Amino acid sequence: MRFTPANRLAAATVAVATATLVAVASPAFAHVTVQPGTAAQGGYTAVAFRVPDESDTASTVKLEVSLPMDHPMASVRTQPLPGWTATLEKSKLDKPLKAHGQDITEAVSKITWTADAGTKIAPGQFQEFRVSLGALPTDTEKLTFKALQTYDDGNVVRWIDEAKEGQPEPAKPAPTLTLTKADAAGDHHGMTASQDQAKTAEATSKAGGTDNAARTLGVVGIVVGVLGAALGVMGLRRKSSAS
């Protein structure tokens, strides 16, 4: 098959468009994140820290998550995960928390999951580490959980950077849980943890679906525009050659 300059231009354009699509779509799946990403203030919820393995050659064998001590929570519990050992560290509080009529003088400040022998998150895989939290604070709109991801080759990825309004997302953003106002009826505290989680997951799914769809359509539009321009150039060159 003989490749004309126009053919080579079209091929190069397709390659650039494909690379652009991959570059835009990939980062959304690469970060350590909190799932679901929202919960109601003042309530209890269950979340999962979703950890993808980004290395082509090494496996993840440890995850350390620091809880925000400027907004401590009285109840922090991990869900058993086969093959992983969870360790909770507590820190003294400057100001005691009130929970069920009692003063709480210390709270969980760090959770470490360590892989047992023969367990790992291999390249191309991900794992979720589930935790129940509460009561969530009512005086902030987000909780930031700084995380360290350790690979079996000794490499440590620090997911600790906080996003700032008006600036691009950092390369290694810390997992963030967005807190929303409790419902107007004021009965959010009466919800069970599972009900709270289901309600939060539904809202997050709708919001996330809309956002992802908008991004995808935007990227597809860019790719179609680039391909259309390339085809237009090819048509002009053919017309010029024929005349």
Side-chain angles (χ1 to χ4, degrees):
M1 180 179 178
R2 182 172 175 267
F3 287 92
T4 65
N7 292 140
R8 287 194 291 270
L9 175 61
T13 303
V14 171
V16 171
T18 302
T20 301
L21 179 62
V22 172
V24 172
S26 296
F29 301 97
H31 302 335
V32 173
T33 58
V34 179
Q35 301 294 330
T38 62
Q41 294 176 340
Y44 290 76
T45 191
V47 300
F49 292 97
R50 182 174 295 170
V51 182
D53 189 281
E54 296 183 296
S55 174
D56 294 329
T57 58
S59 300
T60 300
V61 292
K62 185 165 71 172
L63 174 68
E64 302 167 73
V65 175
S66 295
L67 279 66
M69 294 310 290
D70 55 342
H71 293 94
M73 288 163 283
S75 177
V76 177
R77 296 183 177 135
T78 59
Q79 180 173 299
L81 180 62
W84 294 83
T85 300
T87 303
L88 279 64
E89 298 180 23
K90 292 186 175 182
S91 296
K92 291 288 186 180
L93 299 177
D94 295 332
K95 182 180 179 181
L97 286 173
K98 291 286 186 180
H100 306 292
Q102 296 181 340
D103 286 336
I104 307 299
T105 60
E106 60 180 14
V108 175
S109 56
K110 183 179 180 181
I111 307 175
T112 301
W113 286 271
T114 305
D116 300 337
T119 301
K120 60 186 178 181
I121 308 175
Q125 298 180 345
F126 76 94
Q127 180 63 60
E128 292 188 337
F129 301 85
R130 298 186 62 79
V131 181
S132 67
L133 303 169
L136 299 175
T138 58
D139 58 348
T140 183
E141 295 181 348
K142 70 175 182 178
L143 293 176
T144 300
F145 303 87
K146 296 185 178 183
L148 302 182
Q149 180 180 8
T150 301
Y151 288 85
D152 56 9
D153 63 357
N155 184 37
V156 178
V157 180
R158 301 169 62 83
W159 302 95
I160 63 173
D161 298 331
E162 297 190 42
K164 297 182 179 180
E165 188 175 354
Q167 296 186 12
E169 183 181 52
K172 302 296 180 183
T176 301
L177 178 65
T178 299
L179 301 181
T180 60
K181 296 293 183 181
D183 52 38
D187 60 353
H188 182 78
H189 292 277
M191 297 175 66
T192 65
S194 59
Q195 289 173 325
D196 182 43
Q197 180 188 4
K199 183 177 180 180
T200 302
E202 180 181 2
T204 304
S205 176
K206 292 179 180 179
T210 301
D211 183 59
N212 289 338
R215 290 183 180 180
T216 301
L217 289 174
V219 173
V220 170
I222 294 174
V223 173
V224 170
V226 172
L227 293 177
L231 292 175
V233 172
M234 291 173 60
L236 290 174
R237 291 199 172 189
R238 289 176 178 174
K239 184 177 180 180
S240 176
S241 299
S243 61

